[in-house]
Amino acid sequence: MSRRYDCSDPDQRAMGLADVVIAIPKYELVVFPTDTVYGVGVDAFIPPAVTALLDAKGRGRDMPPPVLVGTVRAATALVENLGPYGQDLIDAFWPGPLTLICRANRSLSWDLGDAKGTVALRMPLHPLALELLKQTGPLAVSSANRSGAPAATTAAEAEEQLGDSVGVYLDGGPTAGNIPSTILDLTTAVPRLLRRGVIPVEKLREVVGYVATDGDPDAEPKGETKEEPDSGN
């Protein structure tokens, strides 16, 4: 049976975080709030746990989950390099709603799905998420909903969709909204926008100069239910 903790209560918050540290090595799924929507995560380095995450969401290996980190150092250890723009973007927007796709470190033993040698990385601007990630290390995380359903903005919404497939629910109250993170691909010659999100294109261009886009670069982001890399997180 799932365990749920009200993290507005300091004692329950402490108990919930302690439970997560035990649950993650046991391949259990964990739901927690981020600065966009609620996420469901597992240890990024345990392939059966990643498979359980994809199964719980009703997704295949063709939609690998992004990886959330609690520190920039953790992120840089997961990639071959950040390229000419990565560090500037991290300095400008992390922690925050920007997901960067980079070439994954080829020495790592993990299996996130059919990622084609890349990894989508983000450091969320949420105190509970950051505290959790600093204790667990990098987590493979997707939005806490069944594939194709609206992204959860409360722990109750996440539990309604995912039920007992999740071991621990950390209830941090409602999230700020349902607009997903902006996704930027750094594996191409110039940064390429893969999904519009909280951070508008013009803000990215203030940092990197040019961003390749499809369609109208001035379009406003809308509340989406897609998942990362076509994710709500």
Side-chain angles (χ1 to χ4, degrees):
M1 179 177 290
S2 301
R3 290 91 67 199
R4 183 170 172 177
Y5 298 91
D6 178 0
C7 294
S8 65
D9 179 283
D11 291 336
Q12 287 206 37
R13 178 188 177 107
M15 288 189 295
L17 288 169
D19 194 351
V20 167
V21 171
I22 296 171
I24 287 292
K26 294 181 178 179
Y27 306 3
E28 289 190 83
L29 277 61
V30 175
V31 162
F32 59 95
T34 76
D35 49 348
T36 54
V37 296
Y38 269 75
V40 55
V42 296
D43 190 319
F45 294 96
I46 301 178
V50 175
T51 298
L53 168 62
L54 296 176
D55 288 346
K57 288 181 59 68
R59 290 173 59 170
R61 287 176 52 83
D62 59 325
M63 297 178 69
V67 174
L68 298 195
V69 295
T71 65
V72 173
R73 176 177 292 183
T76 56
L78 301 178
V79 301
E80 289 292 323
N81 60 72
L82 293 171
Y85 308 105
Q87 189 61 56
D88 289 340
L89 288 162
I90 285 172
D91 291 344
F93 300 112
W94 278 17
L98 177 64
T99 299
L100 298 175
I101 296 182
C102 303
R103 292 289 174 193
N105 186 332
R106 287 172 287 184
S107 68
L108 296 177
S109 297
W110 61 1
D111 184 4
L112 299 174
D114 299 332
K116 299 178 174 61
T118 68
V119 60
L121 293 171
R122 189 162 90 82
M123 183 177 172
L125 182 56
H126 191 287
L128 181 58
L130 287 175
E131 185 175 358
L132 181 153
L133 290 162
K134 287 174 182 176
Q135 293 188 33
T136 63
L139 296 181
V141 179
S142 187
S143 54
N145 58 285
R146 293 284 296 176
S147 188
T153 58
T154 67
E157 290 176 359
E159 190 168 10
E160 182 178 351
Q161 295 194 51
L162 299 175
D164 286 340
S165 65
V166 171
V168 180
Y169 288 88
L170 297 182
D171 186 349
T175 59
N178 67 343
I179 299 176
S181 66
T182 301
I183 300 180
L184 196 63
D185 186 355
L186 299 183
T187 68
T188 52
V190 297
R192 184 171 188 81
L193 184 73
L194 294 190
R195 184 180 69 192
R196 301 178 190 280
V198 177
I199 299 173
V201 178
E202 55 268 25
K203 291 293 185 182
L204 299 174
R205 288 178 172 149
E206 290 176 5
V207 176
V208 300
Y210 179 76
V211 174
T213 62
D214 294 322
D216 178 10
D218 298 319
E220 289 295 322
K222 298 178 175 62
E224 300 180 35
T225 61
K226 290 183 178 181
E227 301 175 76
E228 223 169 3
D230 91 307
S231 165
N233 209 335

